[in-house]
Amino acid sequence: IRRAAQAGIKVIVCTSTDDEDNVIEEIALEEGVDFFRGSLINKLKRWADCAHTFGVKEFHTIDADDPFFDTDQMLASMQKLREEHLDMVSPTESSSKGGASVGYSLTTSIIDKALESIPDDTDTEMMWYYLEKIDGIRVAQLEEEVMEELNVRLTLDFPEDYWMLESIRRILGNSATRNEINEFLKRNPDFYKVNWFRNQEWKAAQLSKSI
């Protein structure tokens, strides 16, 4: 919430109605930002209901388990969506591989269209699977700003991911930019090994959910 707000980005916390997410509502209230609670398993419906509640026609979504997202890339993604009149802008290749620097920019109308063909109780955690099946969808991938390849896993699924993220937070601070993180990793070329080995397991789990 604070990372996005510091960049001047309008924040809406979108979580589920499950009791376990009560704490997320409490955090949103403490931080003074809007929030919405909807379907637990149908992420697309939750997003659509949230967007309609707040009159949002297009938005960028960031998962809370990607705490070091790049606000510059978020803004670039939204700019691409608007200027090229797209329905969806997908993350950069490195972000999708575990770098977790940027999410998806989407129009509310394309979410509504995806929901027309699926029951309300569908598990849409792997949301791109349902969106990419839409005939005629206008989609593009956000280009990489830094062409050099950096092995880095900055999403949170395993204990080693927490150690990695917490280590970076303690060394560079909560508001470290992606450039600062990249420079740190270049100076410490073995640091990525803390959790990089988990990437294959993570990718396999994502694939199984989308099949």
Side-chain angles (χ1 to χ4, degrees):
I1 292 171
R2 294 174 184 173
R3 191 175 185 85
Q6 286 171 0
I9 296 168
K10 166 71 174 177
V11 179
I12 301 175
V13 174
C14 185
T15 190
S16 85
T17 54
D18 190 83
D19 288 344
E20 289 188 358
D21 288 342
N22 290 345
V23 63
I24 298 177
E25 178 180 333
E26 293 170 6
I27 291 170
L29 288 168
E30 289 172 1
E31 296 295 323
V33 297
D34 289 328
F35 68 91
F36 177 85
R37 301 187 68 169
S39 174
L40 173 62
I41 64 168
N42 193 336
K43 179 189 286 188
L44 288 175
K45 186 176 189 308
R46 184 167 74 242
W47 286 353
D49 290 345
C50 176
H52 288 299
T53 296
F54 290 98
V56 174
K57 295 183 178 180
E58 55 195 19
F59 59 93
H60 189 90
T61 177
I62 280 286
D63 293 335
D65 58 2
D66 300 337
F68 285 114
F69 59 86
D70 188 328
T71 52
D72 289 338
Q73 287 190 12
M74 289 175 64
L75 295 171
S77 177
M78 285 297 295
Q79 183 178 6
K80 186 176 183 70
L81 184 83
R82 292 165 176 161
E83 290 184 352
E84 299 182 20
H85 306 289
L86 301 170
D87 300 307
M88 178 171 76
V89 178
S90 57
T92 61
E93 184 177 353
S94 63
S95 182
S96 295
K97 287 181 176 179
S101 60
V102 65
Y104 287 82
S105 290
L106 298 156
T107 62
T108 301
S109 60
I110 202 65
I111 304 295
D112 289 338
K113 191 167 185 178
L115 289 170
E116 290 175 0
S117 59
I118 58 176
D120 285 351
D121 60 354
T122 303
D123 185 342
T124 61
E125 176 65 23
M126 302 294 109
M127 37 69 64
W128 62 84
Y129 172 77
Y130 299 94
L131 293 170
E132 290 175 352
K133 292 196 300 183
I134 298 174
D135 288 337
I137 185 173
R138 296 165 296 180
V139 59
Q141 185 175 41
L142 186 65
E143 299 86 0
E144 298 280 359
E145 294 183 2
V146 180
M147 296 308 295
E148 58 188 306
E149 186 72 20
L150 271 178
N151 289 330
V152 58
R153 176 174 166 77
L154 294 178
T155 190
L156 179 58
D157 293 284
F158 304 100
E160 294 86 357
D161 294 337
Y162 176 80
W163 302 339
M164 177 69 163
L165 293 166
E166 176 62 3
S167 295
I168 289 176
R169 189 194 70 79
R170 292 181 66 181
I171 295 168
L172 299 178
N174 291 351
S175 301
T177 66
R178 290 299 295 230
N179 285 338
E180 290 171 335
I181 294 171
N182 290 343
E183 288 303 315
F184 170 78
L185 292 170
K186 291 176 190 175
R187 295 193 304 270
N188 300 274
D190 288 334
F191 199 83
Y192 79 99
K193 294 179 181 178
V194 170
N195 66 339
W196 184 252
F197 69 95
R198 285 289 198 177
N199 236 29
Q200 286 302 115
E201 186 177 348
W202 171 73
K203 289 177 184 176
Q206 283 204 323
L207 181 61
S208 67
K209 288 180 181 178
S210 64
I211 294 176

